[in-house]
Amino acid sequence: MLPFSAACERNKQPILAVLRHWLPLAARVLEIGSGSGQHAVYFCQQLAGLHWQPSDRSAYLPGLGERIAREGGPDPGPANPDWRPLAAGAVLAEPLELDVDCLDHWPQPPFDAVFSANTLHIMPAASVPQLLAGAARSLRAGGVLLLYGPFNDGGVASSSNNVAFDAQLRSLDPAMGIRDAQQIRAEARRLGFEPLADVAMPAHNRTLVFAAADGGSR
Ligand SMILES: C[S@@+](CC[C@H](N)C(=O)[O-])C[C@H]1O[C@@H](n2cnc3c(N)ncnc32)[C@H](O)[C@@H]1O
């Protein structure tokens, strides 16, 4: 059975609206922590000319690869009546192994965008600057970084739901926990990113949008 995330089904449309606003036409996008692959497939079904490179840590690759092969390829006919075609000219690439902490996993730049959903509160806090630094290396000048998920601000949670979610994460693994948007912005600025937007999303989530340096400062 394919891995499945109910959250992805709920958030894919609001995230698509953000992508439509911020991605250039026919964007080449690197996704970090693709998980079940539902976002990758859906965005490629919706955005013509998109080139999407999914990735994740090795343990996630078999399930992710299976979804991309089944839903990103040609029509399998009656074997999968739920199959939908990709948008015109869209390309959904075979998933890459990418752990943000492994320098040699990062693919050759340049990408027009780096996207990651619901990963920063799962990876240890020390990995977040690695994701930002990898994104800075991977993006072309002026390319965009989009980070979707729950965030705190200056140590303050944006809802009681997020306080409970943070406690639940930390009880499962003390290395997990909701990250702070102010700290992320500070680290991103240090890497030459310009914060462009902080988009409020359903269920107390946000999308932080940054532009990569115009060159020289990375
Ligand atoms: C809650 S899942 C989110 C998956 C998917 N993006 C979504 O929105 O459903 C968290 C993801 O973060 C990924 N992740 C955690 N630590 C990571 C790391 N060090 N490098 C890359 N991905 C990581 C996990 O492998 C997993 O795919």
Side-chain angles (χ1 to χ4, degrees), residues 49 70 75 78 120 182 216:
R70 277 205 216 170
D75 186 353
L120 300 192
Q182 291 184 12

Side-chain angles (χ1 to χ4, degrees), residues 4-212:
F4 178 80
S5 157
C8 273
E9 292 306 304
R10 289 194 299 270
N11 63 33
K12 66 186 186 182
Q13 282 177 312
I15 295 176
L16 175 66
V18 174
L19 295 184
R20 279 193 200 283
H21 184 82
W22 289 103
L23 292 186
L25 283 178
R28 187 169 142 74
V29 183
L30 171 63
E31 181 183 17
I32 309 296
S34 301
S36 65
Q38 287 157 265
H39 281 153
V41 170
Y42 180 69
F43 300 146
C44 283
Q45 288 170 343
Q46 300 296 321
L47 297 173
L50 186 67
H51 188 294
W52 195 271
Q53 176 62 69
S55 76
D56 212 321
R57 295 179 295 172
S58 58
Y60 285 74
L61 287 182
L64 175 59
E66 193 175 340
R67 181 180 296 280
I68 302 303
R70 277 205 216 170
E71 300 183 1
D75 186 353
N80 182 3
D82 295 330
W83 182 90
R84 297 283 175 276
L86 300 188
V91 175
L92 181 49
E94 200 176 309
L96 286 180
E97 178 179 357
L98 199 167
D99 182 319
V100 299
D101 293 318
C102 298
L103 201 58
D104 61 342
H105 283 180
W106 287 84
Q108 282 299 312
F111 287 87
D112 298 306
V114 171
F115 169 80
S116 197
N118 283 326
T119 58
L120 300 192
H121 56 273
I122 302 296
M123 63 182 65
S127 299
V128 174
Q130 303 301 327
L131 185 153
L132 297 174
R137 289 190 305 271
S138 300
L139 286 167
R140 65 166 169 77
V144 286
L145 168 63
L146 302 114
L147 301 173
Y148 169 89
F151 296 99
N152 295 336
D153 263 301
V156 179
S158 55
S159 72
S160 55
N161 284 10
N162 282 354
V163 172
F165 182 45
D166 184 61
Q168 185 195 1
L169 287 168
R170 289 176 196 275
S171 71
L172 291 170
D173 180 347
M176 296 199 291
I178 294 182
R179 309 300 170 207
D180 199 290
Q182 291 184 12
Q183 286 178 13
I184 291 168
R185 270 195 289 272
E187 179 64 14
R189 278 204 179 91
R190 204 182 63 71
L191 291 160
F193 282 106
E194 177 195 352
L196 292 181
D198 181 347
V199 186
M201 308 291 291
H204 310 290
N205 290 297
R206 291 148 72 174
T207 303
L208 307 182
V209 187
F210 300 89

